Amino acid sequence: MAEPPSPRPPSIDQMVRGLAPTGLPHPLLVDLAREAVAAGDPASAEERAVRLRRSLLGRVINATGVLIHTNLGRSPLPFTSTGSYTNLELDLETGRRGSRQANVSGLVARLAGAEAALVVNNGAAALLLVLSSLAAGRRVVVSRGELVEIGGGFRVPEVMAASGATLVEVGTTNKTRLDDYAGAGSDQDTALILKVHQSNYRVVGFTSEVGVEALSRLGPPVVYDIGSGLLDSDTPWLAGPPPPWLAGEPGARQALQNGAALVTFSGDKLMGGPQAGIIAGRAELVEACARQPLARALRPGGLILEALQEVCLSYLRRHCVPFWRMATLPVDELSRRADCLAKSPDAKDWSVTACRSVPGGGSLPGVQIDSAGLCTPGDRRAALLAAAVPVLARVQDGHTFIDLRTVDPAEEPDLLAALGGAARP
Ligand SMILES: *Cc1c(COP(=O)(O)O)cnc(C)c1O
């Protein structure tokens, strides 16, 4: 029996024309068409194109209620670049080369009540630069209760080793007293006392730690890695008082007022800005960090500085950046929005529910913020992620939850389209 003749594969040109609506650039479409033909499955080209399209960075609706969502770039950013030239390293007064840090770091210092500040790529880089600038070849004293791992791979002892500083551990996991530091702190070879905020876990029960104020009287400069980047625990940028769930979170301004020589923190956690790391505090120490050759390797690009500047200006104008606006939305308002959404035919499978948001991003562990949204039985996450604008939802107790605290009202039409597309047949 003769085999049926195999159909001739379509021409690459023809296939590429068919893929044009995906909006991908021509050379990528040619690659995809060729791959599909080589795999003996020309019909798969379209699916390959859709997969590639969705692997690129794009808009996602965060319906998880996790305000600082690590997989979604932590805090949302209120910033679009004009794409024009900027005076990044031009001093407009003199017409000469200026410092890319001068503008924005002054604003950050102003907000934190610091003499000076320096911006680097992330919180880990901030601590690495501080330790290698101020303590390489010398001793740094840290409580055993603060030798933490934060996120994937940021371990304080390893950052310390990479900086060339020698770690001196004091105290125990649950209790460290001032006496424990006193011995280590009076050593001539001690460059710094490091305090690290336990951002992502809590030690409860029989515990004690020593505050910055007492540590700062021991002699060596105290560096406080506050991590989450709460600029001021009095939250002057909010109309009301600080929300109760912030209790215990150290503010940069207060840490410096209480005697820390430097604080380090991330730009994209509670500060609500772009990925960045900030070193703020005493001018001579910040300058020593800026002079270290590593500072150049860790410096942020112009886009980040532009975004951080906008965030700082928002704070100074007492406007809420998106993180703070979302974090403090009243539950009533979210319930009203949920009621409205539930009336849409697209949401016929969903009912209005109370739920709980969390700060996320490895900050404020255990904190929950009352919220409202929609829920439906079963796990609908895959269908929601497959929507044109993907929606990331949360599953709990056998139900899928859409938490409206992290969804911007402007995103609601796309959210409804996703709910409609994910409807049960
Ligand atoms: C998040 C965090 C870091 C790491 O900051 P990245 O910006 O993620 O590099 C370091 N220290 C503490 C205490 C943190 O909370």
Side-chain angles (χ1 to χ4, degrees):
M1 285 255 291
E3 295 217 350
S6 57
R8 264 179 15 112
S11 81
I12 297 292
D13 260 3
Q14 207 181 342
M15 287 171 69
V16 165
R17 273 197 300 279
L19 296 174
T22 60
L24 288 169
H26 188 264
L28 293 182
L29 295 181
V30 173
D31 291 351
L32 289 167
R34 288 194 176 133
E35 281 166 24
V37 169
D41 186 9
S44 70
E46 169 131 23
E47 189 198 317
R48 287 165 192 267
V50 169
R51 227 182 302 137
L52 176 61
R53 170 88 248 170
R54 287 173 62 88
S55 73
L56 300 178
L57 290 177
R59 201 155 65 80
V60 171
I61 296 176
N62 176 10
T64 61
V66 180
L67 286 153
I68 305 170
H69 199 300
T70 305
N71 296 359
L72 303 179
R74 290 195 181 158
S75 298
L77 200 58
F79 167 78
T80 41
S81 175
T82 58
S84 67
Y85 286 112
T86 66
N87 53 332
L88 181 64
E89 293 199 2
L90 176 68
D91 182 339
L92 293 174
E93 292 300 315
T94 61
R96 293 174 196 277
R97 180 160 186 181
S99 148
R100 70 167 54 202
Q101 293 272 353
N103 330 308
V104 63
S105 59
L107 298 177
V108 176
R110 169 81 173 64
L111 284 165
E115 288 174 15
L118 182 70
V119 183
V120 292
N121 279 327
N122 51 43
L127 190 58
L128 175 66
L129 185 58
V130 166
L131 294 174
S132 54
S133 307
L134 305 177
R138 298 181 63 201
R139 293 150 55 98
V140 176
V141 181
V142 192
S143 158
R144 290 196 171 86
E146 298 173 9
L147 292 173
V148 298
E149 168 167 328
I150 305 215
F154 179 87
R155 293 184 151 188
V156 170
E158 288 167 10
V159 175
M160 189 83 75
S163 74
T166 305
L167 170 63
V168 180
E169 303 177 22
V170 298
T172 63
T173 305
N174 57 331
K175 283 211 174 210
T176 303
R177 300 187 184 82
L178 190 56
D179 284 353
D180 295 320
Y181 287 95
S186 57
D187 189 308
Q188 281 305 305
D189 207 34
T190 298
L192 301 171
I193 295 174
L194 174 65
K195 189 167 172 58
V196 183
H197 179 50
Q198 298 161 349
S199 294
N200 54 3
Y201 73 107
R202 288 270 179 274
V203 183
V204 295
F206 187 63
T207 67
S208 62
E209 61 173 304
V210 185
V212 167
E213 202 161 355
L215 291 180
S216 69
R217 284 190 232 108
L218 293 175
V222 176
V223 172
Y224 191 178
D225 177 11
I226 62 168
S228 296
L230 176 63
L231 287 168
D232 184 334
S233 44
D234 295 333
T235 59
W237 54 89
L238 296 180
W245 45 263
L246 264 186
E249 187 65 22
R253 176 178 290 271
Q254 286 71 24
L256 293 170
Q257 263 166 8
N258 289 338
L262 289 178
V263 289
T264 63
F265 53 92
S266 301
D268 52 357
K269 295 181 180 170
L270 296 181
M271 191 175 176
Q275 182 192 305
I278 288 159
I279 301 167
R282 290 207 330 238
E284 81 278 10
L285 300 180
V286 171
E287 275 155 28
C289 293
R291 277 196 307 271
Q292 224 273 359
L294 203 51
R296 165 118 195 166
L298 302 176
R299 74 178 189 173
L303 269 177
I304 294 296
L305 293 172
E306 242 183 303
L308 193 63
Q309 170 177 295
E310 287 312 302
V311 167
C312 289
L313 292 173
S314 285
Y315 273 101
L316 290 165
R317 293 186 180 111
R318 304 205 166 180
H319 292 171
C320 281
V321 296
F323 168 80
W324 285 104
R325 185 163 31 75
M326 295 187 309
T328 56
L329 284 171
V331 186
D332 301 356
E333 191 178 322
L334 298 171
S335 302
R336 269 197 303 278
R337 282 171 53 195
D339 288 337
C340 267
L341 289 173
K343 292 197 183 95
S344 158
D346 282 326
K348 65 179 167 50
D349 298 339
W350 298 75
S351 41
V352 174
T353 182
C355 55
R356 297 261 169 84
S357 315
V358 296
S363 52
L364 295 156
V367 165
Q368 296 192 321
I369 307 170
D370 285 338
S371 187
L374 300 172
C375 92
T376 194
D379 183 350
R380 310 296 296 153
R381 280 178 300 184
L384 292 169
L385 262 191
V389 179
V391 173
L392 195 61
R394 187 173 74 224
V395 165
Q396 201 181 323
D397 305 327
H399 284 69
T400 305
F401 286 85
I402 300 287
D403 184 334
L404 290 178
R405 183 174 293 287
T406 46
V407 178
D408 193 274
E411 294 175 321
E412 287 179 358
D414 287 327
L415 173 63
L416 281 175
L419 296 181
R424 289 191 181 77

